[in-house]
Amino acid sequence: MRTLENWLDEYSQSHQNKVNQAIHRVCVPLIFFSLLGMLWTVSLGTLNLALLVAVVLFPFYIRLGAKAVLIVSPQLIVSFLILYWWQHHQESSQIFFSCLGIFAGAWIGQFIGHKIEGKKPSFFKDLQFLLIGPLWVFKKKPPGNPRGFLSFH
């Protein structure tokens, strides 16, 4: 089984260009949020599809370790709090179509970034990389710390 560092290192191989990195640091969180937002609008009684998908996918992050859980958990919590608030102020269809627009725009940005990079997105090789992006956006390489500001070891 691949470690968190293995996943991040392999993901980084197709994200070397600074412009592509900057695009991803904006677009990946937007995709993460907007996908949850679209799923949020699908009611499953007292739950919704976003919560169910999060529960189903969360073991992937648990297997990667505590650091992965500590990175993705705040993203989920903030997204769910925003969506909970939003559902009390707009109709589900408005939330869905707003999130669909964000989702489409962010994916266009991602593909522009990869065009600039000259490499295909990692998920073309393995769909699990779609779950790595939300972790990777928090891995920077500031001067003096080549491993990243969040140490993944």
Side-chain angles (χ1 to χ4, degrees), residues 26-152:
V26 172
C27 291
V28 168
L30 289 174
I31 290 168
F32 183 89
F33 173 78
S34 63
L35 181 58
L36 287 173
M38 288 185 288
L39 296 173
W40 185 271
T41 65
V42 180
S43 177
L44 302 172
T46 57
L47 298 177
N48 60 55
L49 193 52
L51 292 168
L52 178 61
V53 167
V55 167
V56 168
L57 293 178
F58 206 73
F60 175 82
Y61 296 108
I62 292 171
R63 281 192 308 272
L64 291 177
K67 290 179 183 174
V69 170
L70 290 172
I71 294 167
V72 81
S73 294
Q75 293 176 72
L76 285 168
I77 292 167
V78 168
S79 294
F80 288 155
L81 288 172
I82 291 168
L83 291 165
Y84 180 79
W85 175 85
W86 200 2
Q87 83 177 9
H88 288 86
H89 293 85
Q90 281 191 331
E91 297 291 323
S92 287
S93 62
Q94 292 172 313
I95 295 169
F96 179 86
F97 287 112
S98 296
C99 287
L100 179 61
I102 293 167
F103 185 81
W107 272 111
I108 289 168
Q110 295 279 82
F111 283 106
I112 290 170
H114 279 287
K115 180 71 172 168
I116 293 166
E117 179 85 38
K119 295 179 185 168
K120 292 180 183 176
S122 300
F123 73 87
F124 284 164
K125 179 179 177 183
D126 186 336
L127 286 176
Q128 292 179 92
F129 280 111
L130 292 170
L131 301 175
I132 297 300
L135 302 173
W136 179 86
V137 298
F138 289 95
K139 183 178 181 178
K140 285 199 230 180
K141 295 184 180 178
N145 187 2
R147 297 304 294 171
F149 82 96
L150 290 176
S151 176
F152 290 97

Side-chain angles (χ1 to χ4, degrees), residues 2-16 122 129 132 136 139 141 146-147 152-153:
R2 292 186 219 176
T3 66
L4 175 58
E5 193 61 42
N6 295 145
W7 279 107
L8 293 169
D9 287 345
E10 191 171 344
Y11 189 91
S12 293
Q13 291 172 13
S14 61
H15 301 86
Q16 297 294 308
S122 300
F129 280 111
I132 297 300
W136 179 86
K139 183 178 181 178
K141 295 184 180 178
R147 297 304 294 171
F152 290 97
H153 291 286

